Amino acid sequence: MAYRRELTECPPFTWDEERRYAEILKGESYTKCFISPIYYYIIHFGARRPSITSAVEVIDTDAEVFIRGELVIEAGDEEKVAEEFRKIITRGSGDELERPCTVTMIHKHEVDSKEVSHVHFICSTESFIYMSENVEKILKGIKRIADKYGIKEW
Amino acid sequence: MRKLEVLKPRVVGCPPRIEEAGERYAEILGGMPHTMCFITPIYHHVIDFGSGSVEIIEDGNVLIEGEVVVERRNLNRVVRMLRNIRTRSPYGELTERSCAVVEVHRHVEYGEEFFHVHFVCSPVSLAHRTENIERILKTIKRIADRYGVEELI
């Protein structure tokens, strides 16, 4: 069964939010509310060694695609991994190159007196036309990083 | 038009192409897929300010995307400032850098050069959602006030 995005009335709290956001940005605003399908994929995957903690979520709202997740790596590899995420390239709406991914947060854990880092990332690709191609490029990039730097958290 | 306030996210059956996409993604990552499909409200705020615009999309997650128009000499500073925006992580610390510059493109209007800096921000924490959105918007406003220019059309 296929679902479509459908415009609906907005609940009152969204108008308050709109006013607040427009006030901060001192701009002209408008708000739209939809009832929409969201396709939500979660993939737990093994890294260089099998891992239960590395995971990716692909959130497809039928208008935007948003990919986020985390990788477990050895402490000390954070800079290299962040750089690798910035190197993932997708195709923009005008055929220009996009760098859709960024590392948002890194937190460290100590497990059996060994330090590991959890690298959280987000990616958001814009083009509709290249959506499938872009999602696959991002996932392949993530897989490459996981194969190179990912570890299992014991 | 349907009334939104009575509607809540509802799990529905996934269309076949979605199952296929889930399998394909899992194959690329060499992992285990788990796919869910919802029908859900999405609140979409669009704010145009002189030198750019921002969209705030809320559907359980928050995604802020937009662009700001700047001059070449300020490009690197703007990119750095966007990357330096700090939001509160689910652990309560201001350690999350939730914004990325995804693309920069150049326009020439009446012989003058303008750069469009496209960014995306996605803070994770639900508990600090409002605070994080406001932090991001305030910094975008600061960047726009300092470096934003209006493109000649």
mmCIF file of all heavy atoms in Angstrom, chain A residues 43-87:
data_model
loop_
_atom_site.group_PDB
_atom_site.id
_atom_site.type_symbol
_atom_site.label_atom_id
_atom_site.label_comp_id
_atom_site.label_asym_id
_atom_site.label_seq_id
_atom_site.Cartn_x
_atom_site.Cartn_y
_atom_site.Cartn_z
ATOM 1 N N ILE A 43 19.697 -0.225 10.622
ATOM 2 C CA ILE A 43 20.582 -1.339 10.257
ATOM 3 C C ILE A 43 21.710 -1.437 11.269
ATOM 4 O O ILE A 43 22.492 -0.501 11.432
ATOM 5 C CB ILE A 43 21.151 -1.173 8.820
ATOM 6 C CG1 ILE A 43 19.989 -1.172 7.820
ATOM 7 C CG2 ILE A 43 22.081 -2.333 8.476
ATOM 8 C CD1 ILE A 43 19.832 0.080 7.077
ATOM 9 N N HIS A 44 21.751 -2.536 11.977
ATOM 10 C CA HIS A 44 22.878 -2.824 12.861
ATOM 11 C C HIS A 44 23.881 -3.595 12.035
ATOM 12 O O HIS A 44 23.522 -4.547 11.354
ATOM 13 C CB HIS A 44 22.426 -3.691 14.042
ATOM 14 C CG HIS A 44 21.587 -2.937 15.005
ATOM 15 N ND1 HIS A 44 22.119 -2.151 15.980
ATOM 16 C CD2 HIS A 44 20.246 -2.828 15.115
ATOM 17 C CE1 HIS A 44 21.144 -1.594 16.668
ATOM 18 N NE2 HIS A 44 19.994 -1.982 16.160
ATOM 19 N N PHE A 45 25.131 -3.190 12.091
ATOM 20 C CA PHE A 45 26.069 -3.862 11.206
ATOM 21 C C PHE A 45 27.388 -4.129 11.909
ATOM 22 O O PHE A 45 27.762 -3.453 12.860
ATOM 23 C CB PHE A 45 26.295 -3.043 9.937
ATOM 24 C CG PHE A 45 26.865 -1.686 10.169
ATOM 25 C CD1 PHE A 45 28.195 -1.426 9.931
ATOM 26 C CD2 PHE A 45 26.062 -0.665 10.620
ATOM 27 C CE1 PHE A 45 28.713 -0.173 10.144
ATOM 28 C CE2 PHE A 45 26.572 0.586 10.841
ATOM 29 C CZ PHE A 45 27.894 0.841 10.602
ATOM 30 N N GLY A 46 28.068 -5.128 11.371
ATOM 31 C CA GLY A 46 29.375 -5.457 11.893
ATOM 32 C C GLY A 46 30.395 -4.504 11.332
ATOM 33 O O GLY A 46 30.264 -4.024 10.215
ATOM 34 N N ALA A 47 31.405 -4.238 12.097
ATOM 35 C CA ALA A 47 32.475 -3.371 11.623
ATOM 36 C C ALA A 47 33.643 -4.267 11.231
ATOM 37 O O ALA A 47 33.429 -5.358 10.700
ATOM 38 C CB ALA A 47 32.847 -2.385 12.709
ATOM 39 N N ARG A 48 34.872 -3.804 11.481
ATOM 40 C CA ARG A 48 36.025 -4.627 11.122
ATOM 41 C C ARG A 48 35.911 -5.978 11.837
ATOM 42 O O ARG A 48 36.168 -7.022 11.306
ATOM 43 C CB ARG A 48 37.305 -3.901 11.532
ATOM 44 C CG ARG A 48 38.557 -4.563 11.046
ATOM 45 C CD ARG A 48 39.733 -3.649 11.246
ATOM 46 N NE ARG A 48 39.893 -3.259 12.637
ATOM 47 C CZ ARG A 48 40.597 -2.199 13.024
ATOM 48 N NH1 ARG A 48 41.164 -1.431 12.127
ATOM 49 N NH2 ARG A 48 40.728 -1.909 14.284
ATOM 50 N N ARG A 49 35.516 -5.880 13.108
ATOM 51 C CA ARG A 49 35.118 -7.073 13.841
ATOM 52 C C ARG A 49 33.645 -6.887 14.167
ATOM 53 O O ARG A 49 33.169 -5.757 14.204
ATOM 54 C CB ARG A 49 35.962 -7.199 15.117
ATOM 55 C CG ARG A 49 37.429 -7.394 14.817
ATOM 56 C CD ARG A 49 38.197 -7.696 16.088
ATOM 57 N NE ARG A 49 38.363 -6.521 16.921
ATOM 58 C CZ ARG A 49 39.361 -5.640 16.777
ATOM 59 N NH1 ARG A 49 40.247 -5.808 15.824
ATOM 60 N NH2 ARG A 49 39.472 -4.607 17.581
ATOM 61 N N PRO A 50 32.902 -7.982 14.371
ATOM 62 C CA PRO A 50 31.458 -7.793 14.563
ATOM 63 C C PRO A 50 31.163 -6.841 15.729
ATOM 64 O O PRO A 50 31.824 -6.882 16.741
ATOM 65 C CB PRO A 50 30.957 -9.197 14.886
ATOM 66 C CG PRO A 50 32.012 -10.109 14.411
ATOM 67 C CD PRO A 50 33.304 -9.377 14.473
ATOM 68 N N SER A 51 30.211 -5.994 15.536
ATOM 69 C CA SER A 51 29.868 -5.032 16.575
ATOM 70 C C SER A 51 28.364 -5.030 16.754
ATOM 71 O O SER A 51 27.627 -5.148 15.793
ATOM 72 C CB SER A 51 30.318 -3.649 16.139
ATOM 73 O OG SER A 51 29.730 -2.682 16.956
ATOM 74 N N ILE A 52 27.922 -4.905 17.970
ATOM 75 C CA ILE A 52 26.470 -4.778 18.159
ATOM 76 C C ILE A 52 26.084 -3.326 18.345
ATOM 77 O O ILE A 52 24.932 -2.989 18.350
ATOM 78 C CB ILE A 52 25.971 -5.596 19.377
ATOM 79 C CG1 ILE A 52 26.776 -5.231 20.621
ATOM 80 C CG2 ILE A 52 26.001 -7.082 19.087
ATOM 81 C CD1 ILE A 52 26.096 -5.608 21.905
ATOM 82 N N THR A 53 27.056 -2.449 18.465
ATOM 83 C CA THR A 53 26.710 -1.070 18.799
ATOM 84 C C THR A 53 26.760 -0.117 17.609
ATOM 85 O O THR A 53 26.212 0.962 17.688
ATOM 86 C CB THR A 53 27.627 -0.529 19.915
ATOM 87 O OG1 THR A 53 28.936 -1.005 19.677
ATOM 88 C CG2 THR A 53 27.150 -0.978 21.272
ATOM 89 N N SER A 54 27.410 -0.484 16.529
ATOM 90 C CA SER A 54 27.402 0.409 15.366
ATOM 91 C C SER A 54 26.080 0.243 14.641
ATOM 92 O O SER A 54 25.650 -0.878 14.362
ATOM 93 C CB SER A 54 28.555 0.063 14.428
ATOM 94 O OG SER A 54 29.781 0.385 15.034
ATOM 95 N N ALA A 55 25.430 1.356 14.353
ATOM 96 C CA ALA A 55 24.117 1.280 13.714
ATOM 97 C C ALA A 55 23.858 2.520 12.881
ATOM 98 O O ALA A 55 24.430 3.582 13.133
ATOM 99 C CB ALA A 55 23.032 1.153 14.775
ATOM 100 N N VAL A 56 23.014 2.352 11.881
ATOM 101 C CA VAL A 56 22.631 3.477 11.022
ATOM 102 C C VAL A 56 21.110 3.517 10.950
ATOM 103 O O VAL A 56 20.456 2.478 10.851
ATOM 104 C CB VAL A 56 23.215 3.289 9.606
ATOM 105 C CG1 VAL A 56 22.632 4.311 8.635
ATOM 106 C CG2 VAL A 56 24.732 3.432 9.613
ATOM 107 N N GLU A 57 20.545 4.724 11.006
ATOM 108 C CA GLU A 57 19.107 4.898 10.778
ATOM 109 C C GLU A 57 18.930 5.715 9.516
ATOM 110 O O GLU A 57 19.557 6.775 9.373
ATOM 111 C CB GLU A 57 18.470 5.679 11.930
ATOM 112 C CG GLU A 57 18.566 4.999 13.266
ATOM 113 C CD GLU A 57 18.091 5.899 14.404
ATOM 114 O OE1 GLU A 57 17.527 6.971 14.128
ATOM 115 O OE2 GLU A 57 18.315 5.538 15.558
ATOM 116 N N VAL A 58 18.130 5.215 8.611
ATOM 117 C CA VAL A 58 17.798 5.980 7.403
ATOM 118 C C VAL A 58 16.341 6.406 7.566
ATOM 119 O O VAL A 58 15.459 5.562 7.663
ATOM 120 C CB VAL A 58 17.956 5.128 6.122
ATOM 121 C CG1 VAL A 58 17.641 5.958 4.880
ATOM 122 C CG2 VAL A 58 19.351 4.536 6.032
ATOM 123 N N ILE A 59 16.118 7.715 7.643
ATOM 124 C CA ILE A 59 14.763 8.217 7.892
ATOM 125 C C ILE A 59 14.313 8.943 6.630
ATOM 126 O O ILE A 59 14.879 9.968 6.258
ATOM 127 C CB ILE A 59 14.755 9.156 9.119
ATOM 128 C CG1 ILE A 59 15.286 8.398 10.344
ATOM 129 C CG2 ILE A 59 13.352 9.692 9.382
ATOM 130 C CD1 ILE A 59 15.836 9.278 11.430
ATOM 131 N N ASP A 60 13.332 8.389 5.974
ATOM 132 C CA ASP A 60 12.872 8.921 4.697
ATOM 133 C C ASP A 60 11.451 9.428 4.901
ATOM 134 O O ASP A 60 10.537 8.645 5.140
ATOM 135 C CB ASP A 60 12.928 7.760 3.680
ATOM 136 C CG ASP A 60 12.407 8.141 2.316
ATOM 137 O OD1 ASP A 60 11.845 9.232 2.169
ATOM 138 O OD2 ASP A 60 12.544 7.316 1.390
ATOM 139 N N THR A 61 11.282 10.749 4.843
ATOM 140 C CA THR A 61 9.949 11.317 5.100
ATOM 141 C C THR A 61 9.174 11.539 3.813
ATOM 142 O O THR A 61 8.213 12.280 3.797
ATOM 143 C CB THR A 61 10.028 12.668 5.838
ATOM 144 O OG1 THR A 61 10.517 13.658 4.925
ATOM 145 C CG2 THR A 61 10.936 12.607 7.035
ATOM 146 N N ASP A 62 9.632 10.926 2.749
ATOM 147 C CA ASP A 62 8.961 11.076 1.457
ATOM 148 C C ASP A 62 9.249 12.433 0.822
ATOM 149 O O ASP A 62 8.720 12.752 -0.223
ATOM 150 C CB ASP A 62 7.448 10.885 1.594
ATOM 151 C CG ASP A 62 6.939 9.916 0.548
ATOM 152 O OD1 ASP A 62 7.748 9.098 0.081
ATOM 153 O OD2 ASP A 62 5.745 9.976 0.200
ATOM 154 N N ALA A 63 10.056 13.264 1.488
ATOM 155 C CA ALA A 63 10.420 14.560 0.922
ATOM 156 C C ALA A 63 11.871 14.865 1.256
ATOM 157 O O ALA A 63 12.560 15.522 0.500
ATOM 158 C CB ALA A 63 9.521 15.655 1.463
ATOM 159 N N GLU A 64 12.306 14.397 2.421
ATOM 160 C CA GLU A 64 13.710 14.546 2.799
ATOM 161 C C GLU A 64 14.254 13.190 3.215
ATOM 162 O O GLU A 64 13.503 12.330 3.661
ATOM 163 C CB GLU A 64 13.884 15.470 4.006
ATOM 164 C CG GLU A 64 13.626 16.922 3.759
ATOM 165 C CD GLU A 64 12.190 17.296 4.062
ATOM 166 O OE1 GLU A 64 11.521 16.565 4.809
ATOM 167 O OE2 GLU A 64 11.727 18.293 3.510
ATOM 168 N N VAL A 65 15.560 13.039 3.071
ATOM 169 C CA VAL A 65 16.209 11.838 3.597
ATOM 170 C C VAL A 65 17.257 12.274 4.596
ATOM 171 O O VAL A 65 17.993 13.233 4.357
ATOM 172 C CB VAL A 65 16.895 10.998 2.509
ATOM 173 C CG1 VAL A 65 17.631 9.824 3.137
ATOM 174 C CG2 VAL A 65 15.895 10.483 1.533
ATOM 175 N N PHE A 66 17.305 11.529 5.655
ATOM 176 C CA PHE A 66 18.132 11.935 6.759
ATOM 177 C C PHE A 66 18.753 10.642 7.293
ATOM 178 O O PHE A 66 18.044 9.668 7.536
ATOM 179 C CB PHE A 66 17.152 12.623 7.695
ATOM 180 C CG PHE A 66 17.583 12.923 9.056
ATOM 181 C CD1 PHE A 66 18.788 13.526 9.287
ATOM 182 C CD2 PHE A 66 16.744 12.640 10.122
ATOM 183 C CE1 PHE A 66 19.150 13.842 10.572
ATOM 184 C CE2 PHE A 66 17.096 12.955 11.392
ATOM 185 C CZ PHE A 66 18.308 13.554 11.627
ATOM 186 N N ILE A 67 20.068 10.614 7.368
ATOM 187 C CA ILE A 67 20.757 9.388 7.793
ATOM 188 C C ILE A 67 21.574 9.718 9.024
ATOM 189 O O ILE A 67 22.299 10.712 9.031
ATOM 190 C CB ILE A 67 21.700 8.875 6.678
ATOM 191 C CG1 ILE A 67 20.866 8.476 5.455
ATOM 192 C CG2 ILE A 67 22.543 7.691 7.155
ATOM 193 C CD1 ILE A 67 21.678 8.140 4.224
ATOM 194 N N ARG A 68 21.417 8.941 10.055
ATOM 195 C CA ARG A 68 22.252 9.197 11.223
ATOM 196 C C ARG A 68 22.637 7.894 11.877
ATOM 197 O O ARG A 68 22.026 6.856 11.625
ATOM 198 C CB ARG A 68 21.538 10.120 12.206
ATOM 199 C CG ARG A 68 20.342 9.502 12.857
ATOM 200 C CD ARG A 68 19.744 10.494 13.813
ATOM 201 N NE ARG A 68 18.685 9.846 14.567
ATOM 202 C CZ ARG A 68 17.798 10.491 15.285
ATOM 203 N NH1 ARG A 68 17.813 11.790 15.343
ATOM 204 N NH2 ARG A 68 16.877 9.833 15.951
ATOM 205 N N GLY A 69 23.650 7.941 12.704
ATOM 206 C CA GLY A 69 24.071 6.708 13.345
ATOM 207 C C GLY A 69 25.302 6.903 14.187
ATOM 208 O O GLY A 69 25.709 8.037 14.459
ATOM 209 N N GLU A 70 25.861 5.791 14.601
ATOM 210 C CA GLU A 70 27.098 5.877 15.370
ATOM 211 C C GLU A 70 28.014 4.716 15.032
ATOM 212 O O GLU A 70 27.567 3.637 14.663
ATOM 213 C CB GLU A 70 26.821 5.941 16.870
ATOM 214 C CG GLU A 70 26.212 4.719 17.465
ATOM 215 C CD GLU A 70 26.002 4.865 18.981
ATOM 216 O OE1 GLU A 70 26.924 5.314 19.683
ATOM 217 O OE2 GLU A 70 24.898 4.521 19.437
ATOM 218 N N LEU A 71 29.293 4.980 15.161
ATOM 219 C CA LEU A 71 30.315 3.964 14.935
ATOM 220 C C LEU A 71 31.165 3.868 16.188
ATOM 221 O O LEU A 71 31.467 4.892 16.811
ATOM 222 C CB LEU A 71 31.260 4.396 13.820
ATOM 223 C CG LEU A 71 30.881 4.204 12.376
ATOM 224 C CD1 LEU A 71 32.070 4.606 11.503
ATOM 225 C CD2 LEU A 71 30.521 2.760 12.089
ATOM 226 N N VAL A 72 31.569 2.671 16.513
ATOM 227 C CA VAL A 72 32.478 2.495 17.648
ATOM 228 C C VAL A 72 33.890 2.322 17.086
ATOM 229 O O VAL A 72 34.123 1.473 16.222
ATOM 230 C CB VAL A 72 32.076 1.258 18.477
ATOM 231 C CG1 VAL A 72 32.975 1.138 19.700
ATOM 232 C CG2 VAL A 72 30.627 1.361 18.900
ATOM 233 N N ILE A 73 34.795 3.154 17.573
ATOM 234 C CA ILE A 73 36.176 3.104 17.073
ATOM 235 C C ILE A 73 37.152 3.138 18.256
ATOM 236 O O ILE A 73 36.742 3.391 19.394
ATOM 237 C CB ILE A 73 36.478 4.292 16.118
ATOM 238 C CG1 ILE A 73 36.308 5.632 16.867
ATOM 239 C CG2 ILE A 73 35.571 4.251 14.902
ATOM 240 C CD1 ILE A 73 36.923 6.807 16.143
ATOM 241 N N GLU A 74 38.411 2.923 17.967
ATOM 242 C CA GLU A 74 39.420 3.023 19.027
ATOM 243 C C GLU A 74 39.682 4.487 19.362
ATOM 244 O O GLU A 74 39.670 5.329 18.461
ATOM 245 C CB GLU A 74 40.729 2.387 18.543
ATOM 246 C CG GLU A 74 40.708 0.886 18.650
ATOM 247 C CD GLU A 74 41.948 0.252 18.048
ATOM 248 O OE1 GLU A 74 42.946 0.957 17.809
ATOM 249 O OE2 GLU A 74 41.888 -0.962 17.805
ATOM 250 N N ALA A 75 39.914 4.760 20.618
ATOM 251 C CA ALA A 75 40.262 6.126 21.015
ATOM 252 C C ALA A 75 41.553 6.506 20.282
ATOM 253 O O ALA A 75 42.476 5.696 20.177
ATOM 254 C CB ALA A 75 40.454 6.187 22.523
ATOM 255 N N GLY A 76 41.590 7.706 19.742
ATOM 256 C CA GLY A 76 42.768 8.152 18.993
ATOM 257 C C GLY A 76 42.487 8.250 17.505
ATOM 258 O O GLY A 76 43.169 8.981 16.789
ATOM 259 N N ASP A 77 41.469 7.539 17.038
ATOM 260 C CA ASP A 77 41.143 7.575 15.598
ATOM 261 C C ASP A 77 40.058 8.618 15.268
ATOM 262 O O ASP A 77 39.610 8.692 14.120
ATOM 263 C CB ASP A 77 40.633 6.197 15.133
ATOM 264 C CG ASP A 77 41.778 5.205 14.935
ATOM 265 O OD1 ASP A 77 42.936 5.671 14.817
ATOM 266 O OD2 ASP A 77 41.515 3.988 14.909
ATOM 267 N N GLU A 78 39.630 9.393 16.246
ATOM 268 C CA GLU A 78 38.474 10.281 16.050
ATOM 269 C C GLU A 78 38.682 11.274 14.904
ATOM 270 O O GLU A 78 37.779 11.467 14.085
ATOM 271 C CB GLU A 78 38.160 11.080 17.333
ATOM 272 C CG GLU A 78 37.737 10.245 18.514
ATOM 273 C CD GLU A 78 38.925 9.779 19.348
ATOM 274 O OE1 GLU A 78 40.068 9.938 18.886
ATOM 275 O OE2 GLU A 78 38.705 9.248 20.442
ATOM 276 N N GLU A 79 39.846 11.903 14.879
ATOM 277 C CA GLU A 79 40.093 12.924 13.846
ATOM 278 C C GLU A 79 40.038 12.326 12.450
ATOM 279 O O GLU A 79 39.461 12.897 11.531
ATOM 280 C CB GLU A 79 41.464 13.584 14.063
ATOM 281 C CG GLU A 79 41.529 14.510 15.266
ATOM 282 C CD GLU A 79 40.608 15.718 15.111
ATOM 283 O OE1 GLU A 79 40.559 16.266 14.001
ATOM 284 O OE2 GLU A 79 39.935 16.069 16.090
ATOM 285 N N LYS A 80 40.679 11.145 12.325
ATOM 286 C CA LYS A 80 40.708 10.493 11.007
ATOM 287 C C LYS A 80 39.291 10.125 10.563
ATOM 288 O O LYS A 80 38.918 10.311 9.407
ATOM 289 C CB LYS A 80 41.557 9.211 11.084
ATOM 290 C CG LYS A 80 43.049 9.470 10.982
ATOM 291 C CD LYS A 80 43.809 8.161 11.041
ATOM 292 C CE LYS A 80 44.777 8.210 12.209
ATOM 293 N NZ LYS A 80 45.192 6.947 12.724
ATOM 294 N N VAL A 81 38.499 9.632 11.512
ATOM 295 C CA VAL A 81 37.134 9.220 11.174
ATOM 296 C C VAL A 81 36.281 10.444 10.807
ATOM 297 O O VAL A 81 35.528 10.419 9.832
ATOM 298 C CB VAL A 81 36.521 8.412 12.346
ATOM 299 C CG1 VAL A 81 35.019 8.222 12.175
ATOM 300 C CG2 VAL A 81 37.202 7.047 12.439
ATOM 301 N N ALA A 82 36.434 11.527 11.562
ATOM 302 C CA ALA A 82 35.670 12.749 11.257
ATOM 303 C C ALA A 82 36.021 13.248 9.850
ATOM 304 O O ALA A 82 35.152 13.659 9.078
ATOM 305 C CB ALA A 82 35.955 13.828 12.296
ATOM 306 N N GLU A 83 37.307 13.171 9.511
ATOM 307 C CA GLU A 83 37.773 13.593 8.197
ATOM 308 C C GLU A 83 37.166 12.710 7.104
ATOM 309 O O GLU A 83 36.730 13.195 6.056
ATOM 310 C CB GLU A 83 39.308 13.493 8.196
ATOM 311 C CG GLU A 83 40.015 14.078 6.988
ATOM 312 C CD GLU A 83 39.653 15.520 6.724
ATOM 313 O OE1 GLU A 83 39.464 16.276 7.687
ATOM 314 O OE2 GLU A 83 39.543 15.868 5.529
ATOM 315 N N GLU A 84 37.115 11.400 7.370
ATOM 316 C CA GLU A 84 36.528 10.465 6.390
ATOM 317 C C GLU A 84 35.043 10.777 6.161
ATOM 318 O O GLU A 84 34.551 10.687 5.041
ATOM 319 C CB GLU A 84 36.669 9.013 6.873
ATOM 320 C CG GLU A 84 38.103 8.529 6.964
ATOM 321 C CD GLU A 84 38.579 7.869 5.671
ATOM 322 O OE1 GLU A 84 37.763 7.704 4.748
ATOM 323 O OE2 GLU A 84 39.779 7.541 5.591
ATOM 324 N N PHE A 85 34.339 11.139 7.234
ATOM 325 C CA PHE A 85 32.923 11.474 7.058
ATOM 326 C C PHE A 85 32.763 12.717 6.188
ATOM 327 O O PHE A 85 31.875 12.790 5.353
ATOM 328 C CB PHE A 85 32.234 11.681 8.417
ATOM 329 C CG PHE A 85 31.661 10.413 8.970
ATOM 330 C CD1 PHE A 85 32.306 9.727 9.975
ATOM 331 C CD2 PHE A 85 30.493 9.880 8.455
ATOM 332 C CE1 PHE A 85 31.805 8.539 10.473
ATOM 333 C CE2 PHE A 85 29.973 8.685 8.935
ATOM 334 C CZ PHE A 85 30.628 8.015 9.951
ATOM 335 N N ARG A 86 33.640 13.694 6.383
ATOM 336 C CA ARG A 86 33.567 14.918 5.588
ATOM 337 C C ARG A 86 33.888 14.638 4.116
ATOM 338 O O ARG A 86 33.521 15.407 3.245
ATOM 339 C CB ARG A 86 34.533 15.989 6.125
ATOM 340 C CG ARG A 86 34.129 16.618 7.418
ATOM 341 C CD ARG A 86 32.942 17.536 7.291
ATOM 342 N NE ARG A 86 33.167 18.664 6.398
ATOM 343 C CZ ARG A 86 32.208 19.249 5.688
ATOM 344 N NH1 ARG A 86 30.976 18.821 5.729
ATOM 345 N NH2 ARG A 86 32.488 20.273 4.923
ATOM 346 N N LYS A 87 34.597 13.524 3.874
ATOM 347 C CA LYS A 87 34.987 13.219 2.489
ATOM 348 C C LYS A 87 33.885 12.529 1.687
ATOM 349 O O LYS A 87 34.019 12.353 0.489
ATOM 350 C CB LYS A 87 36.226 12.329 2.498
ATOM 351 C CG LYS A 87 37.512 13.082 2.740
ATOM 352 C CD LYS A 87 38.670 12.126 2.533
ATOM 353 C CE LYS A 87 39.958 12.695 3.033
ATOM 354 N NZ LYS A 87 40.934 11.625 3.298
#
